[in-house]
Amino acid sequence: MGKYFFELFFLVSVLGYAVCYVSKTGKSYDTIIVGLGSAGTTAASTLAKAGRTVLALEAQDRIGGRVWTVPFGDGIVELGAEWIHGTEHSRVYETAVKNNISVFAQDTSFKVYNSDGTEGNKMLIEELLTYLLEASDHPPEKPEQLGKFLTKKLMEYLKEKHPEVLNDQDFISEFIDLTNFIINSYQASNDWNDVTAQSDYEQLEGNQHMSWHRYGFKTFFELLLNTYKNGTGWPTLEIKLNKEVTLINWPKNSTGNVEVVCKDGSVYSADNVIVTVSLGVLKERYSTLFSPPIPASKATVIDKLSIGVVGKTIFSFEQAWWPDVNGFIFFWSPMDKQECKDDPWLVQIKDVARPMGSSNTLYVWTNGDTAKLIETLPEDVVKSKMMETIKKFMGKNVTVPEPTAMIRSNWYSNPFTRGSYTYDNLLKHEYPNARAILGEPLLDATGSPKVLFAGEATDLVHFSTVHGASESGFREASRLLPMSIL
């Protein structure tokens, strides 16, 4: 079957290219941008502001990539990136400030609910979580799994500060499971032992939970593209949505233009192209997307780097009914976990939170395999099971109403994302330069960059963030511009 599929795919590719060649546009651009997420939009706007002719091709019907602001409830919600992580030297934060857009630090207060509906030991849980998150910033000298390292630190801390807790194995077991969940929500990993304790990620200074609130993260893209408040855009930037790129022909041993072939039969030509698709898309398509093929070194790191999934299921209600804190942690008992053995994904519902962009909505955060599964389940099943769980934990002293609407993310099943963002896995030490290699351009016979790569996965220290993606787009645009223009 594999051979048949390959032959069929080859035939379709050849025939498709013949059709595309017929519909080739006569116009040539300085640069083509593939993908209009944070990296692509930053690259496109940087080049256009410098007077370069730019064509931006986006496979989806919207701009934003893994940022997706959606009208919902009495305001807006974010199905993708939620916050500006840090304020010092952040292209995202600085863009907001420069344009007089107020962004606010989100309240991170929370309550803990046990699965019998009683309030949990919030003081102890907050103390332990704070200690472990700080401990993760001081990794061991030798490579180690993050989960193993933090579990060891937890037991040492309990022995010194709370020896009585060591006798409560049910608490320790669930707290370890909760911390695993929280780490996975930060990292987009499936398990904290898939993550190295020695990550290269560097946090920007300043508050890590700055919210666009009712402006929405979409405002960042409108500001970049000069379309905010009916702005006219950039005269040398042309944007085409619903344009899925299927082939990039580039001159490896010669010179000349790059040809970009689209699924709809159109072909575009430019001096160079900046590819900003996610690592998940590269993993799925790199073997067929480039002709000639990319170097073996780049293919290897695409295979070795990891991208994971963070999911949101969002409910709206007639009005807010929850306590006036930002988040709610669900702490499961062994007995209640056992009762969910037919639906084991339910015990991974551990974090419910309020967004700043809408006052009558709640997020249910998930990650890893659970987030992937939720994308595939029938909507009525997700809605009924999640609301049943919320009522179980939060409904002891309040009547939890039925939601008025529900939406959910689909970052893994979406063929144009195939994940949320990347993290440093256990192969980092074997491939320490993987992100740098991923970001290296493909050169023609004269050494000129023809195919350039941007996206959060290519940023050495700010991967997984919108500002890291934006930095990478600016980096690659700068590669194409003389220093005097920047």
Side-chain angles (χ1 to χ4, degrees):
M1 181 174 178
K3 182 179 179 183
Y4 169 76
F5 176 81
F6 177 80
E7 291 173 347
L8 179 62
F9 183 83
F10 177 78
L11 181 61
V12 170
S13 298
V14 171
L15 292 175
Y17 180 72
V19 173
C20 289
Y21 189 80
V22 170
S23 58
K24 180 177 178 180
T25 177
K27 183 176 180 180
S28 183
Y29 300 84
D30 289 323
T31 301
I32 293 173
I33 310 287
V34 180
L36 272 176
S38 178
T41 305
T42 301
S45 61
T46 301
L47 292 169
K49 282 192 288 185
R52 299 298 174 90
T53 57
V54 181
L55 172 65
L57 302 174
E58 168 55 52
Q60 302 187 89
D61 60 359
R62 60 177 183 83
I63 293 168
R66 285 166 279 172
V67 173
W68 192 2
T69 304
V70 178
F72 193 68
D74 62 9
I76 57 92
V77 293
E78 306 289 353
L79 280 171
E82 187 76 23
W83 298 289
I84 303 172
H85 296 293
T87 57
E88 299 295 321
H89 308 295
S90 165
R91 299 186 61 82
V92 182
Y93 181 76
E94 289 168 0
T95 298
V97 171
K98 185 170 63 176
N99 288 277
N100 298 313
I101 302 293
S102 297
V103 292
F104 299 112
Q106 181 151 0
D107 171 30
T108 56
S109 62
F110 66 91
K111 282 180 174 286
V112 177
Y113 288 97
N114 296 318
S115 50
D116 63 359
T118 61
E119 288 199 28
N121 193 340
K122 188 251 187 181
M123 187 174 296
L124 177 60
I125 288 173
E126 185 172 28
E127 176 189 343
L128 296 179
L129 286 174
T130 300
Y131 170 75
L132 291 180
L133 291 176
E134 290 176 353
S136 67
D137 291 332
H138 305 282
E141 291 184 6
K142 295 182 179 180
E144 190 172 351
Q145 295 168 311
L146 182 56
K148 181 180 177 181
F149 169 68
L150 292 181
T151 300
K152 183 169 58 179
K153 298 296 286 187
L154 170 66
M155 302 311 289
E156 292 172 355
Y157 186 83
L158 289 175
K159 184 177 180 180
E160 178 184 354
K161 301 289 188 179
H162 300 282
E164 73 284 357
V165 176
L166 293 172
N167 297 319
D168 189 347
Q169 287 303 310
D170 289 345
F171 175 87
I172 292 175
S173 176
E174 177 58 15
F175 179 78
I176 288 174
D177 201 29
L178 171 65
T179 312
N180 187 356
F181 171 90
I182 291 173
I183 293 295
N184 293 330
S185 293
Y186 276 110
Q187 300 282 348
S189 48
N190 186 56
D191 186 273
W192 61 351
N193 281 316
D194 296 335
V195 184
T196 178
Q198 290 83 5
S199 174
D200 287 334
Y201 180 78
E202 294 180 6
Q203 186 171 285
L204 296 181
E205 295 296 321
N207 193 286
Q208 298 299 303
H209 298 91
M210 299 298 292
S211 173
W212 290 88
H213 53 101
R214 291 186 181 257
Y215 285 105
F217 225 134
K218 67 178 178 62
T219 306
F220 175 57
F221 296 83
E222 294 168 353
L223 293 171
L224 287 177
L225 295 172
N226 195 31
T227 57
Y228 181 64
K229 289 188 174 179
N230 299 314
T232 57
W234 302 112
T236 62
L237 171 60
E238 184 178 351
I239 294 173
K240 294 182 180 291
L241 302 180
N242 298 303
K243 283 286 186 177
E244 179 181 347
V245 172
T246 55
L247 184 65
I248 297 172
N249 288 304
W250 61 285
K252 179 179 181 180
N253 299 315
S254 59
T255 59
N257 280 358
V258 180
E259 281 192 345
V260 177
V261 183
C262 295
K263 187 176 182 179
D264 65 2
S266 53
V267 177
Y268 302 95
S269 176
D271 185 55
N272 45 64
V273 59
I274 303 178
V275 178
T276 73
V277 299
S278 73
L279 176 68
V281 172
L282 285 176
K283 282 179 176 289
E284 192 170 81
R285 304 188 183 203
Y286 77 81
S287 63
T288 59
L289 186 58
F290 303 95
S291 179
I294 59 175
S297 59
K298 192 181 290 286
T300 296
V301 300
I302 290 172
D303 289 333
K304 301 302 181 184
L305 287 166
S306 291
I307 184 169
V309 185
V310 174
K312 298 177 189 177
T313 304
I314 308 177
F315 295 99
S316 64
F317 300 87
E318 286 289 346
Q319 60 186 24
W321 52 265
W322 42 83
D324 190 24
V325 293
N326 181 67
F328 311 97
I329 288 178
F330 291 178
F331 206 79
W332 290 82
S333 72
M335 182 177 70
D336 285 318
K337 278 187 169 183
Q338 181 61 26
E339 288 180 358
C340 292
K341 62 181 183 297
D342 292 335
D343 293 299
W345 63 274
L346 288 175
V347 302
Q348 290 304 312
I349 296 177
K350 299 179 183 293
D351 183 12
V352 175
R354 300 163 48 195
M356 288 190 73
S358 174
S359 68
N360 63 339
T361 56
L362 286 179
Y363 289 1
V364 178
W365 291 84
T366 52
N367 53 62
D369 288 342
T370 301
K372 294 178 183 178
L373 175 64
I374 289 170
E375 292 184 13
T376 69
L377 294 175
E379 184 169 320
D380 61 332
V381 171
V382 174
K383 179 180 177 180
S384 63
K385 293 290 186 180
M386 282 192 175
M387 286 306 304
E388 183 181 307
T389 303
I390 290 173
K391 291 174 182 178
K392 179 181 182 67
F393 280 83
M394 300 178 67
K396 189 177 180 70
N397 298 310
V398 65
T399 299
V400 178
E402 288 300 307
T404 55
M406 182 192 96
I407 55 174
R408 53 181 161 167
S409 59
N410 65 338
W411 299 115
Y412 182 70
S413 54
N414 184 336
F416 305 123
T417 53
R418 293 300 190 213
S420 299
Y421 48 86
T422 63
Y423 62 91
D424 274 349
N425 62 28
L426 302 179
L427 294 174
K428 183 186 102 56
H429 312 287
E430 189 176 346
Y431 300 91
N433 300 315
R435 294 184 188 276
I437 294 170
L438 180 61
E440 291 175 352
L442 306 180
L443 311 178
D444 68 8
T446 67
S448 298
K450 288 296 175 179
V451 182
L452 301 87
F453 294 85
E456 57 85 13
T458 71
D459 194 281
L460 304 186
V461 294
H462 297 145
F463 52 88
S464 78
T465 64
V466 178
H467 65 262
S470 183
E471 287 168 8
S472 75
F474 183 76
R475 179 195 71 216
E476 296 309 307
S478 302
R479 197 190 297 271
L480 300 174
L481 295 173
M483 289 297 294
S484 60
I485 293 181
L486 297 173

